[in-house]
Amino acid sequence: VRRLWPRPGKPILVDGSNVLHWANNNPDLRALRRVITLLQQSGYRPEGVFDANVGWLVFDRWSGPEMLAPHSGLEPRDITVVAKGKIADLELLERAKRRKLRIVTNDRYRDWVLKYPMLRREDVLVRGRVGLTGAELDLDPATVTSRRDDASPRRAGRDDRR
C-alpha cells in the first residue's frame, strides 16, 4: 500500500557503492549504515543507488533492495540496484538533475561534468568519511569550499587560481 502523503525529511541521494568503501576502502555495510543514520538524524530522507554487483561485494551473491534494506538502514523502496550493464553514476546523476537533489559521495564524476554542469556547483556533491568515531558529512557547502587538505580532492570544474 502506497502512502498518499509525502514521507518526512528532505530527499538526498546516496552513492551507495561509493559510501560502502568509506571506512577502510573495503565494502563495509556498517559504514553505509552510519552514513544513512547520520543523514536521517540530520533531517534527510536518503535514497541509495547501487551498482549491480553490490550483493556480490557484501554477501557473495546477487542482492536486491529487500536483502540490502535491513543492513543499510533504508527501506527497500528507497534502494535502487541498477541492472547489470547499467551505470549507477548515470542513474544518480539523472535523478539528481531531474529532482534537483544532492548526492552523498566522494566521487567527483569528472567524466560527467560536461553533460551535468550542475556538478560544478559546490552544493551538489556531499563529501564524507567514516572513521572510528562514526560518520562525518560535509552537508554545509561552506565547509566543502573551505577544505583544502590533500585528503579532499577538489570539485570538478573549480577554478583554483589565486
Side-chain angles (χ1 to χ4, degrees):
V1 174
R2 276 192 133 174
R3 291 184 181 177
L4 297 176
W5 57 91
R7 291 177 284 146
K10 180 170 177 51
I12 191 167
L13 298 173
V14 176
D15 182 345
S17 297
N18 180 272
V19 172
L20 273 175
H21 293 84
W22 282 10
N24 56 16
N25 283 330
N26 292 313
D28 185 350
L29 283 166
R30 291 171 299 188
L32 176 66
R33 187 174 193 101
R34 287 180 180 139
V35 169
I36 297 300
T37 300
L38 179 57
L39 286 166
Q40 292 166 336
Q41 290 171 346
S42 300
Y44 289 90
R45 188 178 75 242
E47 300 173 19
V49 178
F50 298 86
D51 293 314
N53 69 339
V54 65
W56 291 102
L57 294 174
V58 295
F59 300 121
D60 291 325
R61 59 175 285 225
W62 185 87
S63 304
E66 292 77 18
M67 191 163 181
L68 288 168
H71 303 281
S72 67
L74 294 168
E75 295 290 323
R77 68 179 172 220
D78 293 324
I79 296 173
T80 300
V81 178
V82 299
K84 182 179 176 182
K86 296 268 184 175
I87 301 171
D89 289 357
L90 283 177
E91 176 70 25
L92 273 165
L93 295 170
E94 281 296 321
R95 278 193 202 182
K97 179 181 175 182
R98 185 174 62 250
R99 297 172 56 199
K100 296 178 177 28
L101 298 179
R102 299 173 79 191
I103 304 171
V104 177
T105 185
N106 283 339
D107 194 336
R108 308 317 318 148
Y109 303 111
R110 287 182 177 103
D111 295 341
W112 301 105
V113 172
L114 291 177
K115 185 172 181 180
Y116 299 96
M118 71 207 188
L119 293 170
R120 291 187 178 106
R121 293 194 355 244
E122 293 291 333
D123 63 340
V124 174
L125 302 179
V126 177
R127 295 183 48 76
R129 63 215 127 294
V130 175
L132 296 175
T133 59
E136 293 178 32
L137 296 171
D138 298 328
L139 288 166
D140 179 3
T143 308
V144 175
T145 57
S146 66
R147 292 182 59 98
R148 299 301 298 203
D149 60 340
D150 291 336
S152 333
R154 298 179 181 118
R155 294 210 178 274
R158 183 181 178 131
D159 183 359
D160 287 316
R161 289 176 284 171
R162 302 247 177 233

